[in-house]
């Protein structure tokens, strides 16, 4: 009898699961597939091929995939390889607290390149959640602040984090709910294209982000002297500026961001940091009907752009830079090196840590989450389309 186990059957999306199959003929090629429907009914799927051992077993922690959407020993490959039939579509969870994704794991006892008409030899359905039991979501509309606060279960107090995304705008909550599941009081903060906020980002007003940081510091369930900030893309640029200017910021994580102001002004009271101009004529088209923006940003080493460099040496807490080695938005390796060089030249006591991921065009989010190598972008604008 053919058997399939997937454990645990209920888990967070950033937690590993174990997949094993047995009862198959020895030394036989089989197919394992995964699929789910997103909140709009769009199907995301993945598939990999394996060869059973002499006992007719496959264990994804030990057995290498021979082909499909990935190869080699990838215990969670079926999850991070999930992709839509619609090109460049990302799997974005909106209802992060109320419902999980139901992931179907199907086993076929032969090599299947397409979805067969026959039923799988075995199948399992598991729940993948974006929030642990007991995590609270509180919609925030306080003063100018717009966002959602996620609180871990329990009395606290908890360390506070402000969570910023990039040029997509709107309010993205899936990272905040996962951080709250790990014990952090996390504010998913919108800053344009949401509620009554401006539809387009005309400038970055750090007073808005300072208001959010102070709100989080004052919350009765938030502890410690200051808050952390995590940001990706444009959000990483803002996070670095917050670390440099705002006294409430105690630690910062910058993911795939820059060391300088780009696109629009950053304003803090009377202080204005003008951006390095973007050279849109340097956009490169690729073979995939997509664009590379690596050469669009100006060179921050030029003398005329020195006032646009974010003064990270003023930060009062540690800063972690995360970057993909072949990021097609910015030259991540170069910009990380420039940030390190500035800190060294200024004899700054700020602790800087750097991690580079040697994967092409990788979007750094959480482990086991699916990602797209490409995403939608508006060449005529400074920021991504939603």
């Amino acid at each position: 009898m053919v058997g399939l186990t997937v454990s645990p059957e209920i888990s967070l999306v950033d937690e590993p699961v174990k997949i094993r199959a047995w009862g198959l003929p020895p030394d036989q090629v089989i197919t394992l597939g995964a699929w789910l429907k997103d909140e709009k009914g769009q199907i995301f799927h993945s598939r990999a091929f394996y060869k059973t051992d002499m006992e007719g077993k496959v264990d994804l922690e030990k057995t290498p995939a021979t082909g499909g959407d990935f190869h080699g020993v990838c215990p969670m490959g079926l999850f991070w390889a999930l992709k839509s039939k619609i090109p460049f579509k990302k799997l974005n969870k909106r209802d992060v607290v109320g419902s999980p994704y139901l992931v179907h794991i199907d086993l076929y006892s032969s090599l299947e390149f397409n979805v067969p008409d026959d039923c799988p030899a075995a199948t399992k359905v598991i729940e993948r959640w974006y929030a642990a039991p007991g995590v609270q979501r509180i919609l925030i509309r306080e003063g100018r602040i717009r966002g959602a606060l996620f609180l871990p279960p329990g009395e606290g107090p908890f360390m506070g984090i402000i969570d910023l995304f990039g040029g997509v705008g709107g309010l993205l909550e899936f990272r905040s709910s996962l951080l709250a599941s790990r014990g952090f009081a996390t504010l998913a903060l919108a800053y344009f294209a949401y509620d009554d906020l401006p539809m387009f980002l005309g400038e970055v007003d750090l007073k808005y982000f300072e208001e959010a940081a102070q709100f989080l510091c004052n919350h009765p369930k938030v502890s410690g002297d200051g808050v952390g900030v995590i940001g990706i893309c444009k959000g990483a640029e803002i996070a670095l500026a917050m670390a440099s200017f705002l006294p409430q910021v105690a630690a910062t994580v910058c993911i795939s961001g820059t060391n300088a102001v780009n696109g629009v002004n950053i304003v803090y009271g009377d202080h204005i940091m003008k951006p390095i101009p973007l050279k849109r004529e340097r956009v490169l088209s690729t073979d995939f009907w997509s664009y590379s923006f690596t050469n669009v940003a100006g060179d921050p080493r030029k003398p005329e752009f020195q006032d646009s460099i974010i003064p990270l040496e003023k930060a009062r807490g540690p800063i972690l830079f995360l970057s993909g080695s072949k990021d097609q938005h910015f030259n991540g390796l170069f910009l990380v090196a420039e940030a390190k060089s500035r800190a060294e030249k200024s004899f700054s006591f700020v602790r800087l840590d750097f991690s580079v991921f040697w994967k092409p065009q990788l979007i750094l989010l959480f482990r086991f989450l699916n990602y797209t190598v490409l995403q939608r972008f508006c060449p005529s604008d400074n920021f991504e389309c939603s």
Side-chain angles (χ1 to χ4, degrees), residues 160-198:
I161 295 177
I162 294 177
D163 184 17
L164 302 171
F165 275 82
V168 294
L171 181 64
L172 297 177
E173 304 178 11
F174 65 86
R175 190 166 58 195
S176 296
S177 62
L178 286 169
L179 287 169
S181 301
R182 303 304 181 194
F184 297 95
T186 309
L187 175 61
L189 184 63
Y191 53 97
F192 76 101
Y194 174 76
D195 197 46
D196 59 351
L197 295 173

Side-chain angles (χ1 to χ4, degrees), residues 193-264:
Y194 174 76
D195 197 46
D196 59 351
L197 295 173
M199 197 61 199
F200 301 99
L201 189 61
E203 69 176 16
V204 174
D205 180 5
L206 283 185
K207 288 290 185 180
Y208 172 78
F209 299 90
E210 185 172 41
E211 185 178 338
Q214 194 59 53
F215 164 82
L216 198 55
C217 285
N218 293 341
H219 195 281
K221 285 200 171 185
V222 174
S223 67
D225 180 23
V227 298
V229 183
I230 180 171
I232 187 169
C233 197
K234 189 66 178 179
E237 177 188 314
I238 296 172
L240 189 59
M242 292 174 68
S244 302
F245 289 101
L246 306 187
Q248 299 91 343
V249 176
T252 311
V253 178
C254 299
I255 307 171
S256 301
T258 70
N259 67 323
V261 181
N262 285 273
V264 297

Side-chain angles (χ1 to χ4, degrees), residues 62-233:
K62 303 174 183 177
T63 309
T66 60
D69 291 321
F70 53 89
H71 64 89
V73 178
C74 300
M76 294 296 293
L78 290 173
F79 294 86
W80 56 252
L82 286 165
K83 59 185 180 299
S84 169
K85 293 180 179 179
I86 300 175
F88 317 151
K89 183 175 177 60
K90 290 193 292 185
L91 184 60
N92 284 330
K93 192 76 167 73
R94 297 295 179 179
D95 179 14
V96 294
V97 173
S99 64
Y101 278 135
L102 300 178
V103 183
H104 300 247
I105 308 295
D106 295 333
L107 165 64
Y108 298 93
S109 55
S110 59
L111 182 67
E112 300 288 352
F113 288 98
N114 299 306
V115 178
D117 295 330
D118 298 335
C119 293
T123 188
K124 292 287 183 182
V125 181
I126 65 171
E127 296 181 7
R128 299 285 279 174
W129 286 84
Y130 281 77
V135 168
Q136 290 181 275
R137 177 187 181 270
I138 304 169
L139 196 63
I140 300 300
R141 212 172 187 273
E142 189 92 11
R144 292 192 299 163
I145 307 168
R146 301 293 180 266
L149 177 63
F150 291 85
L151 296 174
E155 293 301 317
F158 310 102
M159 296 297 294
I161 295 177
I162 294 177
D163 184 17
L164 302 171
F165 275 82
V168 294
L171 181 64
L172 297 177
E173 304 178 11
F174 65 86
R175 190 166 58 195
S176 296
S177 62
L178 286 169
L179 287 169
S181 301
R182 303 304 181 194
F184 297 95
T186 309
L187 175 61
L189 184 63
Y191 53 97
F192 76 101
Y194 174 76
D195 197 46
D196 59 351
L197 295 173
M199 197 61 199
F200 301 99
L201 189 61
E203 69 176 16
V204 174
D205 180 5
L206 283 185
K207 288 290 185 180
Y208 172 78
F209 299 90
E210 185 172 41
E211 185 178 338
Q214 194 59 53
F215 164 82
L216 198 55
C217 285
N218 293 341
H219 195 281
K221 285 200 171 185
V222 174
S223 67
D225 180 23
V227 298
V229 183
I230 180 171
I232 187 169
C233 197

Side-chain angles (χ1 to χ4, degrees), residues 52-70:
T52 61
D53 62 17
M54 296 310 295
E55 296 180 347
K57 298 178 180 178
V58 167
D59 182 345
L60 266 61
E61 290 189 327
K62 303 174 183 177
T63 309
T66 60
D69 291 321
F70 53 89

Side-chain angles (χ1 to χ4, degrees), residues 303-326:
E304 61 266 33
F305 297 148
Q306 292 311 293
D307 289 341
S308 299
I309 307 300
I310 298 172
L312 56 83
E313 66 276 5
K314 295 182 179 180
R316 73 181 187 94
I319 302 171
L320 173 62
F321 289 88
L322 300 176
S323 183
S325 64
K326 294 184 179 179

